[in-house]
Amino acid sequence: MKFWFSTKAALLGVALAFSPLAGLATAETLRVVQSGAISTLDVPMNRAVVVESDVPFSELSIANPGIADISSLSDRTIYVLGKSPGLTTLTLLDATGQLITNVNVRVAADISEFKERLRQILPGERIEVRTANDGIVLSGVVSSSSRLQRALELAERYAPERVSNLMAVGGEQQVMLKVRFAEMQRTVSKSLSSSLGLNGAIFGGDTGVNGGVNSLNNAPELANSLGGNIPNVNENTGALLFGFNAGSVQVGLLLEALEQKGAVRTLAEPNLTALSGQEAKFLAGGEYPVPVAQTDGAISVEFKPFGIELNFIPRVVDRDVINLELLAAVSAVDPTTGVEFNGFQIDAFQRREASTTVEMRDGESFAIAGLIQDDFLDNVSQLPWIGDVPILGTLFRSSAYQRQQTELVIIVTAHLVTPTRGEAFALPTDRVKPPSETDLFLSGKTAQPTRRNDAVGEVAKQDFSGSYGYVLD
């Protein structure tokens, strides 16, 4: 193998200037082949390589001109142009027709520019780029799925629909989602009603006059009030009855008052872990049977789930950035709003649901839903005209007031997690064990507390009351 660097540049420049292929492509490198040795020559597609033989040749041939084209620049120099992806053979013969050497010419897509753009757009990523026939093969480990997608999109620019992805995403790719449902319901109801009853004999007949809207409007209740008894239909927690005679007229007055207050607190905290890009489902509750009529008149049964539901798809898009597509719901059977269908009593459901897509970092929380509902209702019932009389009209009027307030908040927290050893977990059943017969029958104990002797048990024994940890000012 010989090199003459002093004259090679001048000869090559003159040769390319007069070559018929000079206007098609520019030679990138100079390769030297030895006689009697089989070598491989890599040529980028639509680019050229100059090959120099260590001995003069008199005849050239290429097996497949559709893959590569050749032109002799001198009796030692060959100009090889890559035309289409593939593998072919270049043969060199001397003046006597003897074989000098065979060169395997492999033409592949030019990926030098693609590699440079990949280093500029995704610096620091360990991505290896190779060619396969007329396509590009990407391998290595990237830091996130978003960077993997960017590398694939860039490769599609250079080899459309001919990109093979062998890359893997490194780092933590499992997400634990913690969802907190917090709901408060407050109800206040007040009512005040009065009834007045008169009964007497006028002009030889019995005449009764009733007032109010509740219990004294009917004859049985009027008789009870005039007889000194509180009516049976009274549902109020406070009732006051007055009855007296004014000559031949009996007067009965009933005052009823009601005040109700109530508060309901609902809290659920489901936790669920899933791999990035995979769907996870969680249900703590049950399924309610619902009859469904078919076209042929038959009745089938469908089951509707209820309880605490959590469905989500996490995607780790860039290191510690997590994209969450989730559905969170809390439902319960409500018999008070059911319907009757073909003789079947079907209960309704109370359901609080939120469906959204959010993006957050590891350990951050997001309030994805909030509801403040304030329902107000007041009702006044009275006898016409008489109920509008000041002071006296109170005896012929009933008033009711209701107010219901609901406040709901749904908060989600996402964490990137990794597996750990099973011994590091503590279960609720680890703290108790079945009692012995002596403890059960003599002491009346239904369970016997226990202590773990491992690291988890030691942590459970510690008292964390007061300040602890590190404080940085």
Side-chain angles (χ1 to χ4, degrees), residues 129-463:
V129 182
R130 298 181 178 88
T131 59
N133 199 4
D134 60 342
I136 297 177
V137 178
L138 301 179
S139 61
V141 179
V142 293
S143 59
S144 65
S145 59
S146 64
R147 292 175 173 257
L148 182 146
Q149 187 62 32
R150 292 175 194 169
L152 292 177
E153 292 176 357
L154 182 61
E156 286 289 337
R157 295 284 185 176
Y158 290 87
E161 300 181 358
R162 299 190 306 276
V163 179
S164 298
N165 177 26
L166 301 180
M167 295 181 293
V169 179
E172 298 173 353
Q173 294 297 309
Q174 296 185 102
V175 179
M176 184 186 73
L177 186 65
K178 179 180 180 181
V179 181
R180 287 177 288 173
F181 297 85
E183 182 179 16
M184 284 294 298
Q185 294 181 356
R186 292 177 291 272
T187 304
V188 177
S189 176
K190 297 180 180 180
S191 65
L192 177 64
S193 62
S194 62
S195 299
L196 176 65
L198 301 175
N199 190 25
I202 301 177
F203 302 111
D206 294 335
T207 302
V209 180
N210 302 329
V213 295
N214 287 336
S215 57
L216 293 183
N217 290 331
N218 299 323
E221 285 73 30
L222 177 62
N224 289 334
S225 63
L226 295 177
N229 299 321
I230 296 178
N232 295 328
V233 298
N234 172 52
E235 296 179 354
N236 293 341
T237 56
L240 183 63
L241 177 66
F242 294 94
F244 59 92
N245 295 330
S248 61
V249 179
Q250 293 179 320
V251 179
L253 178 63
L254 177 65
L255 299 177
E256 297 176 299
L258 171 66
E259 181 177 4
Q260 292 180 341
K261 298 179 180 179
V264 178
R265 173 179 179 267
T266 302
L267 182 64
E269 295 188 15
N271 297 341
L272 191 59
T273 303
L275 188 65
S276 176
Q278 301 297 320
E279 183 180 10
K281 296 183 179 181
F282 175 89
L283 174 63
E287 291 187 339
Y288 183 80
V290 177
V292 178
Q294 303 297 322
T295 56
D296 56 355
I299 301 296
S300 63
V301 177
E302 292 185 2
F303 290 88
K304 301 295 182 180
F306 68 92
I308 303 172
E309 299 178 60
L310 175 60
N311 301 341
F312 80 105
I313 302 177
R315 296 181 180 89
V316 182
V317 294
D318 193 1
R319 296 184 181 178
D320 61 343
V321 178
I322 306 169
N323 179 281
L324 291 175
E325 180 181 347
L326 62 95
L327 168 66
V330 174
S331 58
V333 180
D334 185 10
T336 60
T337 56
V339 296
E340 187 173 347
F341 176 74
N342 289 342
F344 295 96
Q345 182 64 31
I346 304 175
D347 297 329
F349 290 87
Q350 290 184 349
R351 185 177 179 89
R352 280 80 70 199
E353 177 181 317
S355 176
T356 184
T357 300
V358 295
E359 195 168 276
M360 63 186 71
R361 295 187 179 273
D362 179 23
E364 293 182 342
S365 299
F366 225 122
I368 63 170
L371 170 66
I372 298 179
Q373 183 177 355
D374 193 349
D375 296 331
F376 176 82
L377 174 65
D378 59 352
N379 184 27
V380 177
S381 302
Q382 65 181 22
L383 289 176
W385 305 298
I386 301 179
D388 295 330
V389 177
I391 302 177
L392 183 62
T394 306
L395 301 178
F396 299 89
R397 184 169 58 242
S398 297
S399 302
Y401 161 85
Q402 291 182 353
R403 186 175 185 180
Q404 183 175 359
Q405 294 176 318
T406 301
E407 185 174 358
L408 171 66
V409 177
I410 302 178
I411 301 175
V412 297
T413 305
H415 295 278
L416 292 174
V417 295
T418 56
T420 185
R421 298 181 61 86
E423 295 80 3
F425 293 105
L427 301 177
T429 55
D430 294 339
R431 300 184 180 93
V432 294
K433 65 179 182 179
S436 62
E437 294 183 357
T438 303
D439 293 334
L440 178 62
F441 293 107
L442 296 183
S443 303
K445 296 182 179 180
T446 58
Q448 206 172 34
T450 184
R451 296 274 185 150
R452 293 183 56 163
N453 297 323
D454 55 5
V456 177
E458 292 298 326
V459 174
K461 295 177 184 178
Q462 298 179 19
D463 183 12

Side-chain angles (χ1 to χ4, degrees), residues 94-113:
D94 59 12
T96 63
Q98 297 295 321
L99 176 66
I100 298 176
T101 185
N102 284 325
V103 180
N104 294 325
V105 180
R106 181 168 52 204
V107 179
D110 184 14
I111 59 175
S112 58
E113 181 183 0

